[in-house]
């Protein structure tokens, strides 16, 4: 199902790093997430019940490919990427009928779901650098995220600090935490339910 025309890892990394130096606040990290962090984040998903998934900030697709490997054949993955070069890269390199790459801000998640006649999403997996964003943008994304989630849905996000924990707690009814030291920088994982 997943036909990934993988470029050499070095060129993928170069694409990511080049975009970091062009847009440091948008990228938020100089290197992509480690496989350890990806595994911990995706362990939060119940793959049997995940029918509609959304990914925020797929970058060069390191989470995207792992999500596609794990998700069922009839599930849908919508990957929302703000950066035009990265969105074009993903469309070209990951050919899978279950994947839809949309170049826009994560704040438009509900509009994107509605366009596909989807009422809600079961999971939102986020790599967004929330602490680098203007407050109004962050607040808008989180408000839309909450409303986009199914009542049993889960928002799974990593951050490099606990700065946003009180904010997540104020927006979601439950927030579970995890920590992955084998990532640069070490990352906090937050699983939030509406
Ligand atoms: C830290 S990188 C994560 C890349 C990859 N998922 C990983 O974890 O290695 C953050 C990504 O979020 C994207 N991004 C930043 N703000 C965004 C927004 N408002 N909506 C969608 N994507 C955004 C950036 O372009 C970048 O690809």
């Amino acid at each position: 199902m997943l036909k990934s025309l993988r470029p050499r890892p070095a060129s993928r990394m170069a694409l990511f790093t080049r975009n970091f130096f062009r847009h440091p606040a948008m990228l938020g990290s100089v290197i992509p997430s480690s496989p350890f962090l990806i595994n911990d984040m995706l362990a939060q998903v119940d793959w049997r019940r995940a029918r509609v998934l959304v990914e925020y900030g797929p970058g060069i697709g390191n989470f995207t490919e792992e999500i596609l490997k794990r998700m069922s054949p009839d599930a849908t993955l919508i990957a929302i990427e703000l950066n035009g070069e990265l969105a074009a890269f993903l469309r070209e390199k990951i050919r899978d009928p279950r994947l839809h790459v949309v170049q826009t801000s994560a704040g438009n998640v509900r509009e994107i779901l509605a366009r596909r006649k989807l009422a809600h999403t079961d999971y939102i997996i986020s790599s967004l650098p929330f602490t680098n964003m203007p407050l109004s943008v962050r607040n808008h994304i989180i408000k839309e995220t909450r409303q986009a989630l199914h009542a049993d849905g889960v928002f799974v996000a990593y951050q490099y600090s606990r700065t946003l924990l009180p904010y997540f707690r104020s927006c979601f009814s439950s927030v579970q935490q995890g920590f992955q030291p084998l990532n640069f920088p070490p990352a906090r994982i937050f699983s939030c339910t509406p």
Side-chain angles (χ1 to χ4, degrees):
M1 176 90 52
L2 170 68
K3 276 192 213 141
S4 171
L5 309 173
R6 233 177 246 268
R8 283 169 298 132
S11 63
R12 258 189 184 205
M13 189 69 94
L15 173 66
F16 191 90
T17 309
R18 190 172 69 238
N19 272 281
F20 172 77
F21 286 112
R22 278 187 196 150
H23 316 282
M26 188 197 282
L27 272 284
S29 164
V30 71
I31 56 168
S33 298
S34 72
F36 303 99
L37 178 57
I38 294 173
N39 277 334
D40 282 6
M41 291 273 289
L42 299 187
Q44 310 303 311
V45 177
D46 177 353
W47 296 100
R48 285 163 309 178
R49 78 170 179 88
R51 284 292 163 275
V52 180
L53 298 102
V54 173
E55 182 185 2
Y56 289 167
I60 53 169
N62 44 346
F63 272 93
T64 318
E65 288 185 322
E66 293 303 318
I67 294 170
L68 289 166
K69 274 184 203 161
R70 290 163 169 81
M71 75 187 222
S72 75
D74 60 342
T76 297
L77 172 60
I78 298 172
I80 307 179
E81 173 56 61
L82 186 60
N83 181 295
E85 191 181 4
L86 295 175
F89 169 83
L90 287 172
R91 279 197 200 102
E92 191 196 325
K93 297 300 174 195
I94 309 182
R95 306 278 175 92
D96 186 307
R98 299 169 298 167
L99 172 66
H100 307 278
V101 178
V102 186
Q103 191 213 331
T104 187
S105 170
N108 296 320
V109 59
R110 281 203 299 155
E111 192 188 313
I112 294 162
L113 290 170
R115 243 186 274 143
R116 298 185 173 274
K117 311 249 179 294
L118 296 167
H120 291 105
T121 173
D122 301 307
Y123 288 93
I124 297 180
I125 313 292
S126 169
S127 302
L128 296 185
F130 283 114
T131 46
N132 295 351
M133 290 177 185
L135 228 70
S136 60
V137 175
R138 182 195 80 186
N139 291 350
H140 177 68
I141 293 174
I142 295 296
K143 182 175 128 270
E144 292 298 301
T145 295
R146 225 196 106 108
Q147 292 182 4
L149 280 172
H150 191 275
D152 301 325
V154 188
F155 171 60
V156 188
Y158 71 80
Q159 296 287 283
Y160 302 128
S161 75
R162 278 180 162 152
T163 310
L164 287 186
L165 178 60
Y167 176 65
F168 287 152
R169 282 198 172 130
S170 73
C171 300
F172 293 92
S173 64
S174 138
V175 180
Q176 312 271 349
Q177 296 178 67
F179 177 63
Q180 178 46 263
L182 300 178
N183 188 71
F184 183 79
R188 305 269 167 191
I189 298 166
F190 302 100
S191 287
C192 312
T193 48

